[in-house]
């Protein structure tokens, strides 16, 4: 079945460091890919998405490129801030089905001043 | 904020009891999905309701059931609670139904603890 694998956390960085969180997926067909963020005590917020191969999603300085050849959707940010500390989830929604999201296990990011 | 609300925020139940969780969808949305997020895990899809009908279900037993009302709000019911049911339960609303790719907007969740 479809699945998403994320790098294990926690990821601990100093402010202004470069961030990469790896995400790979297994899916039949042509899924859409998402990154969600969960701040402490809150629900999930959509951070960015890409709906087809080679699309780049971007938002708030975060970027991810849909790479079909490597089945990856790695999240990057050039300069992290303390306020970026949260749990990040990679997810896919497969084509041809109802609007169901399949999530990875999440990666906790801690950014220190 | 997404406009999706859930109640209660937290609750504690005893094994074997039954629980009802509630979700109010964002205005204009007719689809509600429920997810279970165990501690340290990603959310797992439970089921989805579209225009008051269940139109998709994940790998959860029948003691997990739901309803959607004419105003598109929804309930998740869990019977015969087990310790492993302890989790954060998230609902997400979206526009459209089958095969639509519209963004899902998540509520803050209900934290259920089963003792």
């Amino acid at each position: 079945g479809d699945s998403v694998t994320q790098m294990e956390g926690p990821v601990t960085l100093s402010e202004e460091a470069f961030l990469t969180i790896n995400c790979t997926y297994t899916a039949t067909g042509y899924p859409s890919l998402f990154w969600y963020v969960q701040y402490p005590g809150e629900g999930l917020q959509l951070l960015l998405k890409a709906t087809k191969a080679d699309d780049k999603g971007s938002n708030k300085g975060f970027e991810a490129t849909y790479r079909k050849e490597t089945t990856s959707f790695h999240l990057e940010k050039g300069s992290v801030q303390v306020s970026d500390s949260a749990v990040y989830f990679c997810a896919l929604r497969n084509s041809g089905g109802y609007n169901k999201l399949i999530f990875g296990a999440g990666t906790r990011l801690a950014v220190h001043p | 904020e997404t406009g999706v609300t859930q109640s209660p925020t937290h609750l504690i139940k005893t094994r074997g009891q039954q629980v009802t969780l509630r979700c109010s969808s964002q205005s204009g949305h007719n689809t509600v999905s429920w997810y279970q997020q165990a501690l340290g895990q990603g959310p797992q899809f439970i089921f989805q309701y579209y225009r008051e009908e269940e139109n998709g279900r994940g790998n959860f037993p029948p003691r997990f059931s739901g309803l959607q009302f004419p105003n598109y709000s929804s309930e998740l019911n869990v019977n015969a609670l087990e310790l492993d049911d302890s989790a954060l339960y998230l609902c997400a609303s979206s526009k459209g139904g089958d095969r639509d790719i519209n963004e899902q907007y998540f509520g803050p969740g209900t934290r259920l603890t089963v003792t």
Side-chain angles (χ1 to χ4, degrees):
Chain A
D2 297 347
S3 65
V4 175
T5 302
Q6 291 181 235
M7 64 186 287
E8 288 191 22
V11 173
T12 304
L13 295 173
S14 298
E15 206 165 23
E16 299 184 1
F18 184 85
L19 168 70
T20 299
I21 299 178
N22 290 337
C23 170
T24 57
Y25 67 90
T26 300
T28 57
Y30 303 95
S32 294
L33 302 174
F34 305 84
W35 277 99
Y36 280 83
V37 58
Q38 187 173 38
Y39 297 101
E42 298 185 14
L44 298 174
Q45 299 176 26
L46 179 64
L47 182 58
L48 52 84
K49 66 182 180 183
T51 58
K52 61 182 186 297
D54 299 325
D55 268 2
K56 178 186 280 189
S58 61
N59 186 27
K60 299 181 182 179
F62 291 89
E63 293 183 339
T65 301
Y66 187 165
R67 301 285 188 201
K68 187 168 174 60
E69 63 276 14
T70 55
T71 62
S72 65
F73 192 53
H74 303 322
L75 182 68
E76 296 182 335
K77 187 175 184 183
S79 175
V80 293
Q81 305 300 312
V82 173
S83 57
D84 293 327
S85 298
V87 181
Y88 292 81
F89 293 93
C90 185
L92 70 82
R93 183 228 179 248
N94 211 336
S95 59
Y98 47 87
N99 196 8
K100 158 189 163 184
L101 292 167
I102 296 170
F103 288 88
T107 302
R108 182 174 298 279
L109 170 65
V111 181
H112 298 291
Chain B
E1 288 206 3
T2 62
V4 179
T5 61
Q6 292 186 243
S7 63
T9 306
H10 300 86
L11 75 167
I12 301 173
K13 290 286 188 179
T14 302
R15 189 170 51 183
Q17 287 188 316
Q18 179 266 342
V19 70
T20 297
L21 310 181
R22 295 179 175 83
C23 172
S24 292
S25 58
Q26 185 166 310
S27 177
H29 288 182
N30 55 16
T31 303
V32 173
S33 303
W34 285 93
Y35 293 82
Q36 180 195 65
Q37 185 180 9
L39 196 62
Q41 300 294 317
Q44 300 289 317
F45 176 77
I46 303 174
F47 44 55
Q48 181 180 95
Y49 278 81
Y50 169 62
R51 293 185 177 176
E52 302 179 59
E53 297 286 333
E54 183 182 299
N55 79 331
R57 190 176 184 92
N59 189 26
F60 281 80
R63 59 190 185 84
F64 285 78
S65 63
L67 283 173
Q68 187 178 33
F69 300 99
N71 66 354
Y72 303 126
S73 66
S74 177
E75 287 183 354
L76 164 65
N77 299 290
V78 187
N79 294 322
L81 283 167
E82 300 178 0
L83 296 179
D84 285 349
D85 296 334
S86 296
L88 180 68
Y89 288 84
L90 297 165
C91 85
S93 76
S94 57
K95 199 185 300 185
D98 231 7
R99 305 183 188 281
D100 280 352
I101 199 169
N102 290 299
E103 178 181 339
Q104 296 190 26
Y105 293 83
F106 283 83
T110 294
R111 173 73 63 188
L112 171 65
T113 302
V114 182
T115 62

